[in-house]
Amino acid sequence: MTDGTAARLVEQHTAIIEDFPKAGITFRDLTPVFADGAALRAVTDALVAPFAGRIDAVAGVEARGFLLAASAAYAMGLGVLVIRKPGKLPREVISESYDLEYGSTSLEVQPSDFPPGTRILLLDDVLATGGTLAASSRLMERAGWVVAGVSVVLELEELDGRANLEGRDIRSISVV
C-alpha cells in the first residue's frame, strides 16, 4: 500500500459492478478514477514516488496501463514503453506468450525502443492473477531491460498475483 490520499481517492471513485463480465464476478472499474483530474494526479504520483531516481522509463500494458504510463512518464519527464497485443507494433518485435483462464495470448515490444540496461517501471491498473505482469516482466528482460519495479492502482489480494511476480518490487495503491 502506498499514499493514503491516493488510496482514498481510488476507493471513493472506483465503480463497483456486480456480475460483470459474467455472473459471480465483481468488476472494479477504475475509469472514474482516471476521469477525475485530482484523483489521476494523486494516483500517478503514488505509482511513481517509490521509484523516483531509480528508473529511466515507464512501461504500460495494453490498454489501461497506457493511460497510467503516459501520465507517469510525463510527470517524471521520462519516455514510455508500450507493451502491446500481437500485431499492433510496426517494427521488429519480440513476443512473450502466457496462459489465460481459457486459452493463451501473447504480448509484444519493440526491443529497439530503449537500449539494453534501461531501468523501466512497469505499470498497470490491476494486479489480479499476475499473469499479464509476469509475462510483461519476462518480455522486458528478454529485450535486455531491467524491471525496476511493478506498480499498480488496485491489487486483488484473493487472487494472489504476487506469487507470479516473486522477487519483484511490487507497489499497490489499494489492496482489496
Side-chain angles (χ1 to χ4, degrees):
M1 185 85 92
T2 58
D3 181 79
T5 301
R8 281 192 300 281
L9 288 167
V10 168
E11 183 178 322
Q12 177 183 345
H13 291 288
T14 299
I16 308 295
I17 297 95
E18 296 296 335
D19 298 319
F20 183 84
K22 62 182 185 178
I25 302 289
T26 300
F27 186 81
R28 288 171 171 79
D29 181 11
L30 294 173
T31 56
V33 177
F34 305 149
D36 182 271
L40 178 60
R41 181 185 302 266
V43 162
T44 299
D45 291 345
L47 288 170
V48 299
F51 301 96
R54 299 177 21 207
I55 60 174
D56 306 310
V58 181
V61 181
E62 191 164 340
R64 288 177 298 270
F66 292 170
L67 301 169
L68 296 167
S71 181
Y74 177 79
M76 298 184 79
L78 301 173
V80 175
L81 171 70
V82 294
I83 301 174
R84 303 275 337 241
K85 294 176 182 173
K88 304 287 186 179
L89 296 170
R91 292 180 283 119
E92 178 187 342
V93 299
I94 58 173
S95 300
E96 182 72 29
S97 295
Y98 65 105
D99 292 328
L100 300 169
E101 187 176 352
Y102 300 103
S104 64
T105 191
S106 61
L107 297 168
E108 297 179 342
V109 296
Q110 297 172 135
S112 61
D113 283 349
F114 292 98
T118 300
R119 302 169 302 168
I120 302 178
L121 173 61
L122 178 57
L123 299 180
D124 206 359
D125 60 336
V126 176
L127 171 56
T129 64
T132 301
L133 289 169
S136 297
S137 295
R138 291 190 305 272
L139 184 58
M140 290 167 57
E141 289 172 340
R142 286 184 40 230
W145 307 317
V146 175
V147 180
V150 177
S151 201
V152 298
V153 178
L154 185 64
E155 180 176 347
L156 305 178
E157 190 172 37
E158 68 186 32
L159 298 179
D160 197 25
R162 284 179 180 259
N164 284 319
L165 296 164
E166 202 167 318
R168 305 271 181 211
D169 185 356
I170 306 165
R171 307 298 172 102
S172 304
I173 293 173
S174 182
V175 179
V176 295

